Amino acid sequence: MANRRNSETHARGNSARSKSMGPVRSCLVDNNNMEKTFVEKSSLEAYGYFFDRGKLVSLENGRPFQFNAYPHDEDNQKRYHAIGRLVDNYIYGLLENECHLRRIPIPVDARTGEPTSFFFASDNFLDAENLMIIIHGTGVVRAGQWSRKLIINENIQVGSQLAYIMKAQELGFAVIVTNTNLNIDESSRSIHQRPRFIRGSESPEDHGCYIWENFVRQSSARHICIVAHSYGGAVMLEMASRYTSDFDKRVLAVALTDSPMKAYIKRAHPNVLRILRKRTINWVGSKSKANTNLGDREYGQIRSAGHTSHEWTSFTSFLAVFQFIKSEFSQIQRYKNTT
């Protein structure tokens, strides 16, 4: 779904860009021949890549991304991370331009010079009756991503959250896309100094709870769905633990993808587990067919994601996740119609 939207938006621009990139290609070839160590660049094109119909490919020959560009692994790793940061910004642009979300800075009362973070949300997220909160896992991923590795090596459809966002919007949900891994000031003036933590986003859990405290609690949403991958389950659990009553009243469904909840629930309050158990499914890595019931746990049901690789589980469980959400929503609608 996201690929079709991306191709419509970027195909024309990429075609025009390709025609005008002749000198840049020549420069890239010369630079690659001359450079023996990594030098950071300011754009994907400067590295010789661009997104074509959602896939990162070479400007020179259209081939997929190649990790090895320098003699030393350290330089290749630096290059990979630098390209990854540019991919972050590219995905941010898609959230704004393709999904029509807006970037919301936090903390809400930031002082001059204070480091800030942000998340993305629909224009109507404070007024909508139905709200979906999307939470990625830990590591280098940022808002809009399930897996940076899959975005770079496969495509945007597989590794990003765009399909989830667009489907949620299609079903009438406003959307919040969290950015739980942006915890410190990453500006150039601070990267060589002691880390400056962002108030309210010092950790992924703090970030999620800051959004709940300052935005979700103030919203009109009566029906909330949470979709969380991997460590996003821990963030969801902290939300449920800190805002138990509000969570119980308004959260309709919790869809997890390969979240190791057994490790996270060890200190969870029994009442929180009771609340989760009646509305949570965790699609885990498995060889079984997607959506196969694999049993019950203290916090809810587990089902197969239809893939054994952790980073693929959000993509392969997409249809099952929305089948679950639509089913839970239908039950609410039927209850409303009989009362």
Side-chain angles (χ1 to χ4, degrees):
M1 184 188 310
N3 270 349
R4 290 198 298 270
R5 298 279 294 272
N6 290 342
S7 62
E8 291 171 4
T9 303
H10 298 292
R12 293 188 297 272
N14 288 338
S15 176
R17 184 189 303 163
S18 296
K19 292 177 182 178
S20 64
M21 291 302 293
V24 175
R25 289 197 184 100
S26 300
C27 177
L28 287 167
V29 173
D30 291 342
N31 283 343
N32 286 337
N33 287 336
M34 290 189 300
E35 292 177 2
K36 300 300 182 184
T37 58
F38 170 74
V39 176
E40 188 163 358
K41 300 176 174 67
S42 60
S43 69
L44 289 172
E45 288 83 359
Y47 286 105
Y49 288 97
F50 76 112
F51 279 101
D52 182 18
R53 294 182 292 275
K55 187 169 183 64
L56 189 66
V57 297
S58 168
L59 280 165
E60 181 67 24
N61 52 36
R63 293 176 181 171
F65 175 76
Q66 297 295 313
F67 179 82
N68 291 316
Y70 297 100
H72 302 291
D73 287 342
E74 182 180 357
D75 287 315
N76 287 318
Q77 196 66 47
K78 288 179 180 178
R79 170 178 170 269
Y80 179 80
H81 286 307
I83 289 174
R85 289 189 291 272
L86 294 170
V87 167
D88 295 345
N89 289 324
Y90 186 86
I91 297 298
Y92 292 158
L94 294 180
L95 294 179
E96 293 171 322
N97 299 319
E98 297 292 310
C99 300
H100 308 292
L101 305 181
R102 58 189 175 98
R103 189 182 306 212
I104 300 176
I106 52 176
V108 294
D109 57 348
R111 298 177 291 270
T112 302
E114 180 181 9
T116 59
S117 181
F118 55 89
F119 66 97
F120 291 87
S122 306
D123 284 334
N124 66 332
F125 82 104
L126 288 174
D127 304 317
E129 183 176 21
N130 305 318
L131 177 66
M132 179 176 288
I133 302 172
I134 299 178
I135 312 172
H136 54 60
T138 192
V140 298
V141 290
R142 296 292 187 265
Q145 302 178 41
W146 295 127
S147 168
R148 179 191 282 181
K149 174 183 175 182
L150 290 181
I151 292 173
I152 291 176
N153 294 292
E154 298 294 335
N155 57 60
I156 287 173
Q157 173 78 357
V158 170
S160 81
Q161 299 169 351
L162 267 68
Y164 277 80
I165 296 166
M166 291 178 180
K167 186 64 176 178
Q169 292 171 331
E170 179 186 317
L171 295 176
F173 285 85
V175 180
I176 287 176
V177 179
T178 62
N179 203 14
T180 64
N181 293 329
L182 182 54
N183 310 124
I184 62 172
D185 183 3
E186 295 181 340
S187 65
S188 58
R189 69 175 180 275
S190 69
I191 57 175
H192 299 299
Q193 302 171 0
R194 179 181 298 179
R196 300 175 67 206
F197 284 93
I198 297 168
R199 180 163 53 90
S201 293
E202 293 89 349
S203 70
E205 293 91 337
D206 289 336
H207 175 91
C209 289
Y210 186 92
I211 290 175
W212 193 287
E213 173 69 32
N214 291 277
F215 297 95
V216 177
R217 286 186 71 180
Q218 328 303 330
S219 75
S220 302
R222 297 177 60 196
H223 309 129
I224 299 173
C225 295
I226 298 176
V227 179
H229 174 62
S230 191
Y231 197 78
V235 176
M236 176 281 300
L237 182 61
E238 188 66 20
M239 290 174 169
S241 300
R242 292 195 201 180
Y243 306 101
T244 305
S245 177
D246 197 32
F247 192 100
D248 189 27
K249 289 177 184 176
R250 299 204 284 167
V251 173
L252 176 74
V254 176
L256 305 175
T257 58
D258 211 28
S259 183
M261 292 295 291
K262 182 179 179 180
Y264 305 150
I265 65 172
K266 290 179 179 178
R267 294 188 296 274
H269 194 282
N271 191 41
V272 172
L273 295 179
R274 178 190 61 80
I275 290 168
L276 292 178
R277 189 159 48 242
K278 60 187 178 181
R279 68 198 76 187
T280 301
I281 299 177
N282 189 5
W283 281 268
V284 300
S286 169
K287 293 180 180 179
S288 299
K289 182 180 177 181
N291 212 32
T292 298
N293 190 334
L294 300 178
D296 296 320
R297 297 292 184 269
E298 292 178 81
Y299 62 87
Q301 188 179 115
I302 60 169
R303 296 186 185 179
S304 171
H307 205 291
T308 57
S309 180
H310 175 68
E311 61 262 28
W312 278 85
T313 54
S314 296
F315 175 73
T316 57
S317 59
F318 172 83
L319 293 177
V321 165
F322 278 97
Q323 180 182 341
F324 166 56
I325 289 171
K326 287 190 287 186
S327 174
E328 295 300 297
F329 190 72
S330 295
Q331 290 184 41
I332 293 292
Q333 294 301 108
R334 285 195 297 270
Y335 176 77
K336 287 171 63 176
N337 292 336
T338 58
T339 57

